[in-house]
Amino acid sequence: MKKLMIPVAILAMMTTSCVSKKKYVELEERHTNTKGTLQKTTLEKEALEAKFAKIEERVVSYNDKINSLKSDNVSLQRENEVKLDMVGNTAVISKRTKEKMLETLAKVDPAILANATTLKDSLNIAVSYNLKKSIDTSDLENSDDIEINIDQTVVMISVSDKLLFNTASYSVKRGAYPLLEKLAKVIKSEPSMDVMIEGHTDSRTINNAVVQDNWDLSVKRATSIIRLLEDKYKVEGKRLIAAGRGSTMPLVENTSNKNRARNRRTRIVILPNLDKFFSLLTDEGVIE
């Protein structure tokens, strides 16, 4: 019996040893496979991370583009707000200005609006309305002898001779001071505006100890008004221009006393910066 048990023990040991080695090989294969899978997974992870990084870069780039487009959109909206429309051949107005103009026109007499056939006409009426409001002459003597017109953004205030001067004189009447004070306020409220004072006479000749001719008289009247605006009402002299037209630009033929009276006038020409000019379209742009 003892002799038979030895081979059995040895056989058992050999059998056990074979199973362990097979498992070891199997485990080693699993380890190798797992290691390979891990390496593959690592590579895939790195590839995904690289792709994700690129996606993130694209997202950042797209966000930048979106923000840029938003900024461009804001800019375009602002540009649209200041989109310009032509007025005649020389001036332009923005969308905002046009809206303000329409608000002003809503207050204008429909009979006057009926004469507006172009954007330029509407602009002139709107500015004239607010400028007349700022230079309210209803409380002045002979207020009907003051006319305000606008052409191509140039404001022209025409004042009859009898409101400003005595016949053949260039000394300004004191009764004209309130008008000049109102005018000075408007000029000083818009520092960019230059103002030309332009004298006009009728065709009758004049020559005396102090006035040589109509040219001389028209210029002397212009300088008299300028001295008052500068000295009494503190308008900067560098913004004032004296001009004389003599009898060369009559409104009507000098064939009657009534016509000659119309031709004797002083024209105040306001030459504003366009931006400042357009502020006259709003109530905020006038002097109360």
Side-chain angles (χ1 to χ4, degrees), residues 130-147:
N130 282 317
L131 192 58
K132 285 178 180 177
K133 182 178 178 181
S134 67
I135 309 177
D136 183 9
T137 60
S138 60
D139 59 338
L140 300 179
E141 184 181 358
N142 299 318
S143 61
D144 292 338
D145 294 317
I146 301 171
E147 294 181 3

Side-chain angles (χ1 to χ4, degrees), residues 110-156:
I112 296 175
L113 281 179
N115 298 319
T117 58
T118 65
L119 179 60
K120 172 188 167 185
D121 294 337
S122 299
L123 175 66
N124 289 346
I125 289 172
V127 175
S128 180
Y129 174 87
N130 282 317
L131 192 58
K132 285 178 180 177
K133 182 178 178 181
S134 67
I135 309 177
D136 183 9
T137 60
S138 60
D139 59 338
L140 300 179
E141 184 181 358
N142 299 318
S143 61
D144 292 338
D145 294 317
I146 301 171
E147 294 181 3
I148 299 176
N149 296 292
I150 297 95
D151 184 31
Q152 300 285 9
T153 73
V154 176
V155 180
M156 291 170 287

